[in-house]
Amino acid sequence: GAGVSQSPSNKVTEKGKDVELRCDPISGHTALYWYRQSLGQGLEFLIYFQGNSAPDKSGLPSDRFSAERTGGSVSTLTIQRTQQEDSAVYLCASEDRGNTEAFFGQGTRLTVV
Amino acid sequence: GDSVTQMEGPVTLSEEAFLTINCTYTATGYPSLFWYVQYPGEGLQLLLKATKADDKGSNKGFEATYRKETTSFHLEKGSVQVSDSAVYFCALSEGPGDMRFGAGTRLTVKP
């Protein structure tokens, strides 16, 4: 596609439920990032995928968070047993190998009530 | 590890005022430096970048110069407009998978 697409754009969920957030990167981009942006905070790195390499999961805040990237394209971020502190905007970005410019989606605003 | 520190906001200016948003970094190597902008209700988009020392990135009237001696990449604009109201993020990257962001600075420009 023309840009990075994320869905849903907004998600309200009850505490304790699982949620899945989706990211469609720019076609052909081999690298994909997930970040979390909490109210008034900067971007918190969560996870990074590059091609077929093992992902860098060093930013995932707990084992309730996981992500996968199928076929080197679409990625899903899953949060299990959501907590109120998980409320944030989750941003996805993709990047072409050899070019350090990241292109961002518009994010998914997650609200846990 | 590598990190980026940028001035805290919020910053409020009148239209046509001069803007500076400070950004300093720590890095083990020779990173590329970036400014990203997030307009209300939108995702982040690249504003400008510089890939080596003394390079100047510029776009939409904004400029930033990669200063290795002071490890800085301050964002400047000579005359801001209401439409420049946004959150600005300084970032660095030493290679794929290593994009690190500052906390962001919210700019509000009043008519």
Side-chain angles (χ1 to χ4, degrees):
Chain A
V4 178
S5 177
Q6 291 188 245
S7 60
S9 54
N10 281 285
K11 175 72 176 179
V12 179
T13 190
E14 292 182 352
K15 178 181 173 182
K17 300 283 190 183
D18 298 351
V19 295
E20 286 189 352
L21 312 180
R22 177 187 168 103
C23 173
D24 281 276
I26 292 173
S27 178
H29 280 192
T30 57
L32 187 147
Y33 300 80
W34 282 99
Y35 291 89
R36 179 167 69 176
Q37 184 179 22
S38 301
L39 187 63
Q41 302 295 313
L43 273 67
E44 176 187 4
F45 167 77
L46 297 178
I47 189 168
Y48 168 72
F49 295 90
Q50 173 60 273
N52 295 320
S53 302
D56 177 358
K57 303 180 181 181
S58 60
L60 294 178
S62 77
D63 59 8
R64 296 187 295 105
F65 287 72
S66 63
E68 59 180 28
R69 189 177 184 194
T70 53
S73 180
V74 172
S75 178
T76 302
L77 176 69
T78 301
I79 308 173
Q80 296 178 310
R81 305 181 302 282
T82 51
Q83 304 295 313
Q84 287 187 329
E85 61 263 28
D86 299 334
S87 296
V89 176
Y90 289 82
L91 294 169
C92 175
S94 72
E95 185 179 81
D96 193 12
R97 176 181 275 276
N99 183 346
T100 52
E101 177 181 349
F103 292 83
F104 283 81
Q106 293 197 350
T108 294
R109 181 176 297 279
L110 174 67
T111 304
V112 181
V113 297
Chain B
D2 294 0
S3 66
V4 176
T5 302
Q6 63 182 102
M7 68 184 285
E8 294 185 15
V11 174
T12 303
L13 296 173
S14 297
E15 208 164 22
E16 300 184 3
F18 184 86
L19 168 71
T20 300
I21 301 178
N22 289 339
C23 172
T24 57
Y25 67 91
T26 58
T28 53
Y30 302 95
S32 294
L33 302 174
F34 307 83
W35 278 99
Y36 280 81
V37 58
Q38 185 178 32
Y39 297 105
E42 299 185 13
L44 273 76
Q45 55 186 275
L46 181 67
L47 179 61
L48 54 85
K49 68 178 181 181
T51 58
K52 62 182 187 297
D54 300 325
D55 269 2
K56 177 185 285 188
S58 61
N59 186 24
K60 300 182 180 180
F62 290 89
E63 293 184 338
T65 301
Y66 190 142
R67 302 282 188 201
K68 188 169 181 291
E69 64 276 14
T70 55
T71 61
S72 65
F73 193 55
H74 305 321
L75 182 69
E76 296 182 336
K77 186 173 185 181
S79 176
V80 293
Q81 305 301 312
V82 172
S83 57
D84 294 326
S85 297
V87 181
Y88 292 82
F89 293 90
C90 186
L92 69 76
S93 175
E94 292 209 68
D98 188 44
M99 184 71 73
R100 297 171 190 266
F101 289 84
T105 303
R106 181 176 298 278
L107 170 67
T108 301
V109 180
K110 297 190 173 181

